[in-house]
Amino acid sequence: MNSGRERVERRLAAVLAADVAGYSRLMGADEEGTHAALSALRREVTEPNIAEHRGRIVKTTGDGFLAEFPSIVDAVRCAVELQREMALRNENLAKERRIEFRIGINLGDVIIEADDIYGDGVNVAARLEALAAPGGIYVSKVVRDQVRDKVDFGFEDLGEQQVKNIARPVHVYRI
Amino acid sequence: MNSGRERVERRLAAVLAADVAGYSRLMGADEEGTHAALSALRREVTEPNIAEHRGRIVKTTGDGFLAEFPSIVDAVRCAVELQREMALRNENLAKERRIEFRIGINLGDVIIEADDIYGDGVNVAARLEALAAPGGIYVSKVVRDQVRDKVDFGFEDLGEQQVKNIARPVHVYRI
C-alpha cells in the first residue's frame, strides 16, 4: 500500500537546541574553570530540568545540546525555567564568568534513529538557536501558535527571516 | 518549579477524526446490512491501515472513530490510503449502498488519558471532519505546512473558517 517506499520512523517532536554564547571566549579565558562550570550546570540544572519535562538529550556538543520532548508545551516551559535558573546563577558572578545559553525551539515531524534525530524540524531549531540573543529563547511560528493559549508568557513577533539551508523563510518569535 | 500547577500529560499528536457520511440514511435503509458492512470495513480496511501507519484508535462511535498517530506524515498517508481503498470498494456498489468517510486531521499538543484524548487539537480535528465532503480529507494549516514537502499530493486552500466552540478561525485545506 505504500508504493514500495522504504518506511522511515517519523515522529512529531518538540526540538530544543541550545548552546553557550561566547563559549570560545570563556574557554580562552579559563579552560578548566569553564569546563567544570559547564559540567556542574549540566548535572545540576540542565539534565534535571529536561527530565522533569519528560524530554531527553539526544546529543551533546562541547558547548551545547540537542533535546527532544513529546510535548511542545513542556519543551517551552523547560526552556523558560532553564533561562530563569541561569539568570539567577549569573547574578552572583562577575560578567566575564557568566554562562548564558541561546535556545531555539521548533516543532516537526522528524526522523528518529537510535542516537540522533534528523529533518527540517531539527535544522530549523538549530537556526533559531543561532539567531537567539544570549539568555534568549527563539521559537518558530508553529511553536507559538501551539502554546500561546497554554502558557502565561508572551511572544514578540520578529517577522520572517531567511535562514541558511532552509528553503522557506522562518517566522521567528522571541519569548 | 512549576508554580504548583498540577502536571497533566501532554503529547504532540496527529489527530484523525472520521465518520460515515449519511450514516442515518444508510441505517434507515438497511440496518443489519449497514452494520455488517461497517464491521467488515473496520476489520479489513480501517484497523490494518491505521496499524500499518503506527496509529491507534482512541475510541469509536456508531459511525466513526478518533485515532492518533505519532507522526503527522503517517496520519495523512493513512487517510489518503483509506479514502483510495474506500473509493475502489464503492466502484462496485450501487450508489445507495456506498459507504463514504469524511476525514479531518489536525496536529496538537493534546492531553492524553488512558482511553481518551482531549484539547483544542482534538476539537479542531472533529470540526474539520464535519466540514469535509464525503470521501474527502480536510486538514488544518499546520498539518499542510508540516507535510507538504514530504508527500506527493497537493493541498487546496479553502481559506479561514469560523468553527463552533473554537475561539480562533481555522485555516482549512483539502487534500
Side-chain angles (χ1 to χ4, degrees):
Chain A
M1 291 176 73
N2 202 31
S3 55
R5 184 173 30 219
E6 198 174 329
R7 182 64 59 92
V8 295
E9 189 184 341
R10 289 192 166 276
R11 187 167 70 213
L12 282 163
V15 182
L16 186 158
D19 79 345
V20 173
Y23 176 70
S24 304
R25 178 184 51 74
L26 287 162
M27 287 297 271
D30 178 3
E31 204 170 271
E32 289 184 16
T34 301
H35 181 74
L38 285 176
S39 298
L41 273 178
R42 182 173 304 168
R43 205 171 48 241
E44 295 163 17
V45 181
T46 316
E47 287 177 357
N49 195 317
I50 291 172
E52 195 204 343
H53 293 89
R54 299 183 300 122
R56 79 178 171 103
I57 294 181
V58 177
K59 60 181 173 186
T60 57
T61 54
D63 62 338
F65 61 88
L66 185 70
E68 63 138 344
F69 297 76
S71 155
I72 185 66
V73 173
D74 285 341
V76 169
R77 286 182 180 149
C78 176
V80 169
E81 288 179 15
L82 268 182
Q83 296 292 38
R84 281 182 184 154
E85 177 70 20
M86 299 291 286
L88 284 177
R89 289 182 162 233
N90 281 330
E91 274 181 4
N92 305 318
L93 290 178
K95 196 160 190 292
E96 68 275 9
R97 297 194 51 210
R98 288 181 186 169
I99 294 179
E100 293 182 300
F101 280 131
R102 288 185 298 217
I103 296 182
I105 306 177
N106 188 36
L107 180 169
D109 212 58
V110 299
I111 296 168
I112 309 283
E113 292 192 355
D115 50 8
D116 211 345
I117 56 178
Y118 304 91
D120 266 12
V122 180
N123 300 340
V124 169
R127 298 307 176 197
L128 289 164
E129 173 229 275
L131 289 173
I137 304 165
Y138 281 23
V139 307
S140 56
K141 183 170 189 295
V142 60
V143 172
R144 174 266 203 173
D145 288 351
Q146 285 291 327
V147 309
R148 63 171 164 178
D149 294 332
K150 303 182 178 80
V151 294
D152 49 11
F153 34 79
F155 296 84
E156 183 188 352
D157 188 345
L158 303 181
E160 292 204 332
Q161 310 212 13
Q162 198 68 49
V163 296
K164 213 172 78 180
N165 297 330
I166 306 289
R168 296 198 174 82
V170 176
H171 199 138
V172 181
Y173 288 81
R174 172 165 55 195
I175 296 187
Chain B
M1 293 178 67
N2 202 33
S3 55
R5 185 174 30 221
E6 200 176 329
R7 180 65 58 91
V8 296
E9 189 183 340
R10 291 192 164 276
R11 189 168 68 213
L12 281 164
V15 182
L16 186 157
D19 79 344
V20 172
Y23 176 71
S24 304
R25 179 185 49 75
L26 287 162
M27 287 296 272
D30 178 3
E31 203 168 273
E32 289 184 16
T34 300
H35 181 74
L38 285 177
S39 299
L41 273 179
R42 182 172 302 169
R43 205 170 50 241
E44 295 163 19
V45 181
T46 315
E47 287 177 355
N49 196 317
I50 290 172
E52 195 206 343
H53 292 89
R54 299 183 300 122
R56 80 179 171 103
I57 294 180
V58 177
K59 60 182 172 186
T60 57
T61 55
D63 62 337
F65 61 88
L66 185 69
E68 63 140 342
F69 297 76
S71 156
I72 185 66
V73 173
D74 285 340
V76 169
R77 285 182 180 147
C78 177
V80 169
E81 289 179 14
L82 268 182
Q83 294 293 39
R84 281 184 183 152
E85 178 71 21
M86 299 291 287
L88 284 176
R89 289 181 164 233
N90 280 331
E91 273 180 4
N92 306 317
L93 291 177
K95 195 158 189 296
E96 68 276 11
R97 298 196 49 213
R98 289 180 187 170
I99 295 179
E100 292 182 299
F101 281 131
R102 289 186 295 219
I103 296 181
I105 306 177
N106 189 35
L107 178 170
D109 212 60
V110 299
I111 296 169
I112 310 283
E113 291 190 356
D115 50 7
D116 210 345
I117 55 178
Y118 303 91
D120 265 12
V122 179
N123 300 340
V124 169
R127 297 307 174 194
L128 288 164
E129 172 229 277
L131 290 173
I137 305 166
Y138 281 21
V139 307
S140 57
K141 184 171 189 293
V142 60
V143 172
R144 174 265 205 174
D145 288 350
Q146 286 291 328
V147 308
R148 63 170 163 178
D149 294 331
K150 303 183 177 79
V151 296
D152 49 9
F153 36 80
F155 296 83
E156 184 188 352
D157 188 346
L158 302 181
E160 292 204 332
Q161 310 213 13
Q162 199 68 48
V163 296
K164 211 171 77 178
N165 296 333
I166 306 288
R168 296 199 172 80
V170 177
H171 199 139
V172 181
Y173 288 81
R174 172 163 56 196
I175 297 187

